[in-house]
Structure formats: C-alpha cells, structure tokens
C-alpha cells in the first residue's frame, strides 16, 4: 500500500498544480507540522483524506502562521489544531494556555471578595507562611481550613487572630481565603474600620441595609482589624451586632483579626463614657464573637519593618 509520504509526493508532482489555490495547498502540505500529523494518523485517515481535507489543512497552516507573524488571527484566544474526525481531516480550535490560565485565575479570584483589603493578600499562601514564632497561629489556620474543606456543611468555629501591628494577621486570613478558593469555597474579606466609615456615610442614601444583608450572608466572612474603627454605638449595635447575630443564628464561619485581645475589645466596645447599659451591650457582641471564633495570639516580629 502507498504510504502517506508517497501519496503527498505524488500530489505535489501533479502537473495540474497550476491554480493559485492549488499552489497554496501544495505549500501547506509541505508544512512540517502537517507532515507530522499525517504520518501519526496514517492508519486512521481515509485514503482520500488529504484531497478532501485540503481546505482544512490550508486553514490550519494559515491560521497558525498568522499567530507566528503576530497578525490578528480569526479567534485570538484559541489556537488551531489538526484532528481526525470520522477518518477525515478537520481543524479544531483549543483555548490557548494563556486563556486557560486567565479563566482559572478569574474563577479563583471571583471566590475571594475583598473590600478595602491590601492587594498583596491575593498572593498570600499558607505554604509560604513563615511560621517562626507563629506556629500556633499557622496550626489553628490549618486546622480550620482542613475542617472547613473536609466537612463544609457543619459549623466550624473560626479564628480571632490577635496580636500587635505587623505580625501578619491580615496576611494569614488572606492565605486562608486563597486556600479555600482553591477548594472552591467563597469568602468575603473586609477591612472593618473602612467599612464602618462607609456605612456611616451611606446612612442617608439607604444603602446600609442592603449592604449589611449581603455581607452577613457571605458563606465565609473575615472581618479585618476589628476594634480599630472609631467607636460608635450605632456601628456596634446596628452594623456589627446585626451581622454577628445572623451569622451565629445561621452558623456561618466567621474570622476576625484585631490588634486588641478579646478582653481589650470588650472594653473598647463599651465605649469611654459608658452609661450603665453599655457594658452589657459590649458583652452581647462579645458573646457572639466568642461563639463564632476562638482567640489565637499571633506572635513574632513586626514584618512591616523587616
Ligand atoms: P497585621 O495584619 O498583623 O498588621 P500584615 O498581615 O499586614 O500584618 O503583615 C505585615 C506585612 O508583612 C505585610 O506586608 C505582609 O505582606 C507581610 N507578611 C506577613 N506575614 C507574612 C509571611 N508569612 N510571609 C511573608 N510576608 C508576610
Ligand atoms: Mg492587618
């Protein structure tokens, strides 16, 4: 039986290869990639597959060459590839590696919603976490993500990460959120002091209730820097109180970071010139925080100075 190679040669030698179209086809047939494809699929291809697939071969070569030359191809995010379809030659368009990576990146990013958080947390990874002096915090974080991903439907108590400025509390919740996103779990991270300012500004345009409703329902919520907002009974009772009440009731995983310990946060939430009913109000908030999370001290150096 005639081999593919012999068959191509015969076609090339035909004297009738005169029209411009036929010459283009002839050129395409000489292409190295086309050759490799034809030889690799020799057994599967019909005897007249080359003649019947000439236009497809031409399409493949010219589309691929456009990319090589940097010209605008027919579908920039897709690259042509030759395939055998029902014993004949066809061209399929596969997403480019760049497109696949961009799609994956977008899907992952969509699982981490951030509000006024530092951009750098997008790159925070538990694997990269420098645990010097912070083994306990990393252990607790690992326990949480393992529990949350192996058994997402039961309630897992979150973490209340406390420690001085710069030890990596925000970095750690970012790393937790990114780990969960890799496992297809969505979290919302918000910088609580900025959020408090925005809520105060939004009172007049009635955006407060819908925003709070959206945030309180986040599948996993992380409140960053709680206790660093300027004290306000309204934020405490009508914003934080509402969010935490809902999350406790619905048993939704919630994490916090704070420069204050839980004891210090209680003091803060009671306010300075407290009336008699302020401390119980503060304690009510704290009960919710303690139901939702366990206090974990993050130690170590101030990384903003290193
Ligand atoms: P905190 O929230 O406790 O004030 P941050 O999380 O903002 O601290 O961390 C302070 C700085 O140190 C940031 O620039 C952060 O990116 C960096 N950082 C924190 N933890 C790590 C870590 N484990 N590995 C690398 N960089 C870190
Ligand atoms: Mg922080």
């Amino acid at each position: 039986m005639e081999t593919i190679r012999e068959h191509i040669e015969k076609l090339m030698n035909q004297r009738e290869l005169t029209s411009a179209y036929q010459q283009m086809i002839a050129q395409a047939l000489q292409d190295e990639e086309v050759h490799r494809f034809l030889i690799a699929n020799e057994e599967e291809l019909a005897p007249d597959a080359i003649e019947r697939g000439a236009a497809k071969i031409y399409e493949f070569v010219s589309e691929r060459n456009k990319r090589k030359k940097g010209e605008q191809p027919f579908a920039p995010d897709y690259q042509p590839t030759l395939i055998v379809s029902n014993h004949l030659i066809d061209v399929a368009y596969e997403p480019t590696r760049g497109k696949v990576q961009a799609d994956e990146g977008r899907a992952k990013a969509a699982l981490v919603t951030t509000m006024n958080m530092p951009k750098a947390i997008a790159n925070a990874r538990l694997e990269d976490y420098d645990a010097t002096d912070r083994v306990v915090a990393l252990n607790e974080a690992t326990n949480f993500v393992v529990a949350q991903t192996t058994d997402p439907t039961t309630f897992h108590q979150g973490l209340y990460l406390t420690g001085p400025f710069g030890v990596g509390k925000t970095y750690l919740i970012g790393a937790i959120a990114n780990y969960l996103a890799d496992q297809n779990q969505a979290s919302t991270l918000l910088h609580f002091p900025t959020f408090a300012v925005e809520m105060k500004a939004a009172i007049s345009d009635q955006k407060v209730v819908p925003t709070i409703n959206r945030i309180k329902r986040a599948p996993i919520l992380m409140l960053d820097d709680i206790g660093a907002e300027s004290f306000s009974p309204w934020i405490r009772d009508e914003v934080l109180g509402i969010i935490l009440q809902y999350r406790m009731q619905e048993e939704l995983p919630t994490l916090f970071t704070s420069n204050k310990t839980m004891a210090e946060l209680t003091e803060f939430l009671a306010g300075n010139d407290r009336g008699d009913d302020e401390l119980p109000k503060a304690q009510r908030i704290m009960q919710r925080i303690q139901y939702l999370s366990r206090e974990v001290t993050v130690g170590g150096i101030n990384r903003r100075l290193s």
Side-chain angles (χ1 to χ4, degrees):
M1 197 186 102
E2 185 181 52
T3 66
I4 280 269
R5 213 179 277 279
E6 288 161 349
H7 189 64
I8 294 170
E9 269 166 30
K10 208 162 82 188
L11 287 173
M12 306 290 293
N13 290 335
Q14 277 172 7
R15 302 239 170 243
E16 315 83 84
L17 278 179
T18 45
S19 76
Y21 175 73
Q22 279 167 318
Q23 274 173 16
M24 283 193 303
I25 301 287
Q27 229 166 24
L29 283 176
Q30 280 171 300
D31 184 271
E32 207 185 306
E33 242 182 289
V34 173
H35 258 250
R36 249 183 284 133
F37 168 81
L38 292 175
I39 287 164
N41 296 288
E42 185 160 7
E43 285 182 8
E44 238 196 287
L45 287 170
D48 58 350
I50 297 180
E51 287 88 334
R52 291 173 64 184
K56 293 291 181 184
I57 293 174
Y58 175 69
E59 175 187 333
F60 166 76
V61 172
S62 63
E63 277 301 315
R64 190 210 53 207
N65 287 352
K66 273 189 210 161
R67 265 153 242 272
K68 280 193 183 160
K69 285 189 238 154
E71 290 168 16
Q72 182 65 23
F74 153 72
D77 284 340
Y78 295 84
Q79 63 201 6
T81 175
L82 287 171
I83 57 161
V84 181
S85 166
N86 208 6
H87 305 291
L88 295 177
I89 297 165
D90 204 350
V91 184
Y93 287 86
E94 293 174 344
T96 59
R97 195 192 297 248
K99 175 167 166 56
V100 171
Q101 281 170 352
D103 286 352
E104 281 174 1
R106 256 195 301 278
K108 291 262 158 69
L111 290 172
V112 180
T113 306
T114 58
M115 292 172 73
N116 302 303
M117 297 293 290
K119 278 217 171 62
I121 64 155
N123 303 317
R125 292 282 173 279
L126 285 176
E127 308 89 85
D128 300 340
Y129 193 72
D130 166 14
T132 320
D133 302 329
R134 296 180 295 173
V135 183
V136 175
L138 181 58
N139 260 341
E140 293 282 355
T142 309
N143 289 345
F144 173 73
V145 295
V146 168
Q148 182 60 33
T149 51
T150 47
D151 192 4
T153 50
T154 38
F155 173 66
H156 302 287
Q157 205 180 24
L159 308 175
Y160 179 98
L161 300 174
T162 176
F165 182 73
V167 291
K169 303 180 296 295
T170 300
Y171 182 95
L172 190 51
I173 53 167
I176 294 172
N178 291 331
Y179 182 95
L180 294 171
D182 285 341
Q183 311 291 320
N184 282 320
Q185 293 202 33
S187 14
T188 298
L189 285 73
L190 64 93
H191 184 244
F192 193 73
T194 313
F195 179 68
V197 171
E198 286 176 356
M199 286 298 95
K200 280 187 202 156
I203 296 176
S204 53
D205 53 12
Q206 276 148 28
K207 285 198 189 124
V208 172
V209 173
T211 307
I212 292 177
N213 282 343
R214 187 161 49 81
I215 289 181
K216 75 181 186 187
R217 296 195 169 99
I220 299 168
L221 181 65
M222 309 193 190
L223 300 181
D224 191 34
D225 247 341
I226 190 168
E229 69 278 12
S230 57
F231 174 75
S232 142
W234 181 74
I235 293 292
R236 179 193 61 198
D237 302 329
E238 304 302 321
V239 178
L240 190 56
I242 302 275
I243 293 172
L244 299 181
Q245 171 63 29
Y246 183 85
R247 299 193 70 81
M248 194 173 98
Q249 211 173 290
E250 301 296 318
E251 300 204 308
L252 294 169
T254 311
L255 291 81
F256 306 84
T257 82
S258 183
N259 288 358
K260 296 183 166 68
T261 61
M262 284 190 176
E264 287 164 348
L265 187 65
T266 316
E267 286 294 307
F268 170 78
L269 291 174
N272 281 333
D273 43 13
R274 65 177 77 133
D276 286 347
D277 57 345
E278 294 302 305
L279 192 60
K281 281 183 183 164
Q283 284 165 339
R284 187 132 31 102
I285 300 285
M286 288 314 296
Q287 278 163 8
R288 295 171 192 166
I289 293 179
Q290 282 161 343
Y291 178 86
L292 290 165
S293 68
R294 46 199 277 130
E295 186 167 12
V296 175
T297 305
V298 187
I301 52 157
N302 180 346
R303 277 165 200 269
R304 297 192 207 209
L305 302 176
S306 60

